[in-house]
Amino acid sequence: MVICSSREAFLVGLQSSMQADNLNGNTVDSTPPEASIHPLLIPTIHQLAASSTITIAFTPSLLRLRAYLACYAPARDSEPTSNTSARRGSQSAMLVIYGLLKLHRNTTEYSVQGLSRSLAIAVEAANTWRMRLTLVEPLEDTQLPAPEPIMETGAVSPPDPWSEQVPLLNSSLAPTNGSTWAGRTVEVGTVVARWCSISRP
């Protein structure tokens, strides 16, 4: 699992998300303390077993993300073998990238060119090791700071990141004060759909 953020920023966002889940899922009164514990914090046998099979890497910049994926090699015990090739499908190993779009946003490479470059490297890594590539984007309220900011602070991400418009090529400038990209733009979902299937919640 590749998390496109620093470890500290991810933990802050995860804590905020779990607190929001507890507030939305629990009633105000007569809720025992044990019932307010988030499921992720309960050390069940299943979670303990699953955690031993997950490798996590934090890549807070595009340079680190691409370098990690270009040199990616799974742990030896997770490499596909001829004995497990017949059991592929739902049990296949996964290469999960969390926050890829958000990592590109507010940078000069938030474009068809920049996204395609990162996606091509990710697809090649997953294909090399016969893994299923899965892209996951954080919710709108998750606060993961983007690197290389070039847009004014206070910009709010739209609810659906796949519907955002991006230019064809990288640029040293970005729209500010609600302006739009100059020239032809393409929907992010159209770019990603060339490489992956998009499943909207």
Side-chain angles (χ1 to χ4, degrees), residues 18 39 41 43 47 53 78 93 97 118 123 164 166 172 177 179 181 186 194 196-197:
M18 290 191 298
L41 300 179
Q47 289 198 159
T53 64
S78 63
I97 303 180
S118 299
V123 169
E164 295 183 26
V166 293
S172 59
N177 297 328
S179 60
W181 293 102
V186 179
R194 295 182 56 192
C196 310
S197 299

Side-chain angles (χ1 to χ4, degrees), residues 42-97:
I42 302 176
T44 62
I45 295 178
H46 173 73
Q47 289 198 159
L48 293 175
S51 63
S52 64
T53 64
I54 300 175
T55 301
I56 298 179
F58 295 92
T59 58
S61 69
L62 285 177
L63 181 62
R64 293 187 182 184
L65 171 66
R66 291 168 177 169
Y68 180 83
L69 293 175
C71 303
Y72 176 73
R76 180 172 297 273
D77 57 355
S78 63
E79 294 181 16
T81 62
S82 57
N83 294 332
T84 60
S85 59
R87 296 185 288 107
R88 290 299 174 187
S90 61
Q91 297 182 2
S92 61
M94 297 175 61
L95 174 58
V96 180
I97 303 180

Side-chain angles (χ1 to χ4, degrees), residues 17-180:
S17 178
M18 290 191 298
Q19 290 175 347
D21 288 345
N22 286 336
L23 291 175
N24 294 332
N26 294 331
T27 56
V28 177
D29 41 298
S30 69
T31 302
E34 296 79 5
S36 63
I37 300 177
H38 195 277
L40 288 178
L41 300 179
I42 302 176
T44 62
I45 295 178
H46 173 73
Q47 289 198 159
L48 293 175
S51 63
S52 64
T53 64
I54 300 175
T55 301
I56 298 179
F58 295 92
T59 58
S61 69
L62 285 177
L63 181 62
R64 293 187 182 184
L65 171 66
R66 291 168 177 169
Y68 180 83
L69 293 175
C71 303
Y72 176 73
R76 180 172 297 273
D77 57 355
S78 63
E79 294 181 16
T81 62
S82 57
N83 294 332
T84 60
S85 59
R87 296 185 288 107
R88 290 299 174 187
S90 61
Q91 297 182 2
S92 61
M94 297 175 61
L95 174 58
V96 180
I97 303 180
Y98 178 83
L100 183 137
L101 295 185
K102 192 158 189 175
L103 187 65
H104 285 76
R105 191 179 295 118
N106 298 341
T107 71
T108 58
E109 294 201 51
Y110 194 42
S111 63
V112 175
Q113 180 184 10
L115 289 172
S116 296
R117 181 182 177 189
S118 299
L119 288 168
I121 298 174
V123 169
E124 182 178 3
N127 183 66
T128 299
W129 297 101
R130 289 183 285 174
M131 306 177 79
R132 181 158 57 95
L133 177 63
T134 303
L135 305 180
V136 181
E137 284 303 305
L139 297 176
E140 182 182 356
D141 293 335
T142 303
Q143 300 298 320
L144 297 182
E148 307 171 20
I150 59 175
M151 296 183 67
E152 292 186 357
T153 58
V156 179
S157 302
D160 184 8
W162 312 108
S163 63
E164 295 183 26
Q165 297 290 325
V166 293
L168 295 179
L169 302 177
N170 296 340
S171 173
S172 59
L173 300 175
T176 57
N177 297 328
S179 60
T180 58

